[in-house]
Amino acid sequence: MNTTYAATKRSQRGLRARPDAIVGLDIGTTKVCVIVAAPDERTGTLTVLGVGTAENAGLARGIVVNIEKTVQAIEQAIEQAETTSGIQIERIIVGIAGDHIQSFQSRSAVAVSGAGREISRSDIERLLEDARTVALPSDRVILHLFPQDYILDGQDGILDPIGMSGVRLESNIHVVTGLRSAVENLYRCVERAGLIVEDIVLQPVASSIAVLDSAEREVGVALIDIGGGTTDIAIFDEGIIRHTAMFGIAGNKVTDDIKKGLGIVHAQAEQVKIAYGHALQESILHDEVFMIPGINGRKPIEVTKSLLCQIIQPRMEEIFEFAFAEIRRSGYARNLSAGIVLTGGCAQLRGAAELAERIFGMPVKVGVPTLGMGGFAPEVQSPMYATAVGLVLYAHEARTGKSSLGVGFRANQQRHHVRVGYRGIIERIKTFFDHL
Ligand SMILES: Nc1ncnc2c1ncn2[C@@H]1O[C@H](COP(=O)(O)OP(=O)(O)OP(=O)(O)O)[C@@H](O)[C@H]1O
Ligand SMILES: [Mg+2]
């Protein structure tokens, strides 16, 4: 039983518990989004039972900077999702992002232990346990371990060693870490809202599950999720997640440029960007003049679409060039036969895919998340919901033992089965992280 004030308040609303429900909580820089889904008994596919969204002013560039505002936004989105689904939400899968996230490659090795030296799942688990012992600065925690390929008795390039025979199993592992304080603050917000963290997932990892298909992951693809505060990248090749990266330039910077360039307020800049914005001059077929009301009795401002584009395009070019530099740094730029998939709210900007195609010199498409059929599924079919949909799919895959993230990938789940009440939270978070 959850005893926090927020949880008690919610449990008084006549909601019912549903143990098989999966709840994704995407705490974005511009909005919090909650998706409640449950597997259909007959087909095993997920049905969206409820959705909740709320504006969020508690984050900057993907990390929590104001706990009160973030908690309020989470509570508001959760309440809405509970009302639409009729389900009392207790456990959630939460996404994490921000430019504190870092990743590196590490190598682990174990002696194969099973009868007949046949490699089993438990050998891979021990290999991952070994990777967890890698020396990290005390202010960082491991968020994900993605095995890349396996080396069996010196023979490399093995993608799936289960069932093979050998003595010594090694693996190159992509290790993703986050700043301890940023992770703790995320936990703190979620738990203050009366919720239990079932798992914590890197946002681009979640988005990639929602918008990429297995063929794209196999031939090589880079997912770029351009949100409000962060641009997140996940690169796949041969069906395995190879690289993750993120940086703090995204849609909010575009809005800021419009605000400064035209001398208008933030809300107007946001409206103008969505209504008239283009990322590429050539994609404007009919230039058009539009008016922006003046502030406090001043005369309205007359702006053309192409002038607006002159403000937007350089910033979008910067975002794509930063992303391209990250992709080149990963060493996978030449392996991306399926090119680039753009998602996140900014992918909806007109001309964004065309501009990206010019910069990357590769095919670019906009990825829209799909999540089963029926229920509220159509409501979440927008690039803005890629992360929230992906969080639900991630948990579903973890529960059913299937993973789109490559052989040997294991969700963190068990490690996060820690109930932390509002009171004594700091002590318990400490204990929890000491166990990581
Ligand atoms: N139709 C549109 N055209 C252009 N930009 C849009 C459109 N719709 C949304 N955006 C922009 O997308 C951004 C928000 O995207 P998203 O909802 O993916 O961000 P977030 O998840 O809240 O933030 P982050 O993931 O960076 O923490 C905002 O900058 C918004 O202006
Ligand atoms: Mg986002």
Side-chain angles (χ1 to χ4, degrees), residues 194-231:
L195 302 161
I196 299 167
V197 178
E198 183 174 319
D199 210 341
I200 185 163
V201 182
L202 204 62
Q203 288 182 13
V205 168
S207 304
S208 69
I209 301 175
V211 303
L212 301 179
D213 75 2
S214 57
E216 287 172 319
R217 282 192 282 259
E218 194 182 325
V219 301
V221 68
L223 174 98
I224 307 180
D225 179 328
I226 314 176
T230 64
T231 296

Side-chain angles (χ1 to χ4, degrees), residues 26-31 97 203 207 225-230 232 344-345 383-384 387:
D26 171 24
I27 309 177
T29 308
T30 64
K31 50 114 190 31
Q203 288 182 13
S207 304
D225 179 328
I226 314 176
T230 64
D232 310 337
M384 280 169 69
T387 306

Side-chain angles (χ1 to χ4, degrees), residues 28-31 227-230 251 270 273-274 344-346 348-349 384:
T29 308
T30 64
K31 50 114 190 31
T230 64
E270 186 69 26
K273 177 174 83 171
I274 290 171
C346 245
Q348 299 178 99
L349 181 66
M384 280 169 69

Side-chain angles (χ1 to χ4, degrees), residues 16 18-23 35-50 87 93 198 371-374 392-393 395-402:
R16 68 196 165 88
R18 186 165 167 175
D20 65 338
I22 301 176
V23 184
I35 296 183
V36 186
D40 183 289
E41 270 176 25
R42 280 175 306 115
T43 61
T45 57
L46 288 172
T47 306
V48 183
L49 304 173
I87 290 169
I93 295 95
E198 183 174 319
L371 180 53
M373 300 291 285
V392 169
L393 288 171
H396 182 57
E397 288 186 356
R399 286 185 190 181
T400 53
K402 298 181 199 128

